[in-house]
Every structure is written in structure tokens, then in C-alpha cells.
Amino acid sequence: MPQFDSSVSTLYSNMSAVYGEMGDMEKSINYRLKDLKICEQNAKNGVEGKRDLLWCLNNLAATYFRAEKYAEAADFFKKTLACAENLYGKNSDEYMQSKDDLEIAESYLAQ
């Protein structure tokens, strides 16, 4: 299915990065959400798709964080953490980084 093509996913991710650099965080988030839909579909096709989903979730969480939408960032960092645990386990670097990112986002919510 063309709508789930990984090259389209890469395009959306790159567009998000460009809009983020330009300071248009709403467009950046919208492209990240489009990318997420593709990554979620592709994650059904094995480990490589699940790895892509992990980075997609992390990128979306980081974009929400940069947009100062800390509740949304924390929600997606939680999803990133769960994905990292599922893929790599609790002792992995990916899990520990996701845990740190979540703690930072939650600290902003507490302020």
C-alpha cells in the first residue's frame, strides 16, 4: 500500500524537521502525526517496523516538548518507553534514555 511506504514516512519526518527549524511547531507536529500513522501500520510487519515506530514516537514526543506541550510530550514519551521496553528490555540504552526523557517532560508538568 503506497500510503504506508517508508519513503513517505521519511518525507513526513523530514518535513516535520524543516517546519520545526522554522519555528512552525503546529505544522511540525502535524507531519509527525502523519508519520506516526505510517509507522504504526509498518510496526505490524516485524521488528524493523517496531524500531521505526520507537523513533517515530520519540520524535513526536520531542516535537511536542519543543512546542512546550508538556502533557502531550509526556504521553508520547510513555509510549516510547513502553515500545523501548518491548523491543530491547529495561536494561537497554534505549529504555534508559526514554525513561530519562519522560522524567524531564514530567518535571516540566510539575512546575
Side-chain angles (χ1 to χ4, degrees):
M1 294 183 160
Q3 66 264 32
F4 302 126
D5 189 319
S6 62
S7 62
V8 176
S9 174
T10 300
L11 174 67
Y12 287 154
S13 182
N14 289 342
M15 292 297 296
S16 174
V18 168
Y19 279 111
E21 286 300 312
M22 292 171 43
D24 190 336
M25 299 313 295
E26 289 306 312
K27 283 187 180 176
S28 182
I29 289 167
N30 286 334
Y31 277 105
R32 291 277 181 223
L33 290 169
K34 289 179 181 186
D35 184 25
L36 177 62
K37 288 180 184 180
I38 294 171
C39 290
E40 288 174 334
Q41 288 298 319
N42 290 343
K44 297 174 185 176
N45 297 326
V47 173
E48 190 62 37
K50 290 176 183 176
R51 287 183 185 131
D52 289 344
L53 177 61
L54 172 65
W55 296 115
C56 184
L57 290 166
N58 187 70
N59 287 339
L60 181 55
T63 302
Y64 273 121
F65 188 85
R66 187 165 175 224
E68 299 179 359
K69 295 184 177 194
Y70 302 120
E72 292 89 342
D75 287 343
F76 279 98
F77 280 130
K78 286 177 188 173
K79 292 176 183 180
T80 302
L81 184 65
C83 189
E85 180 180 1
N86 184 41
L87 274 171
Y88 300 109
K90 287 187 175 183
N91 293 325
S92 68
D93 291 339
E94 292 84 357
Y95 180 86
M96 298 307 288
Q97 183 62 55
S98 297
K99 185 177 176 187
D100 290 346
D101 291 341
L102 174 58
E103 289 172 359
I104 291 168
E106 288 178 333
S107 74
Y108 276 79
L109 285 173
Q111 295 178 5

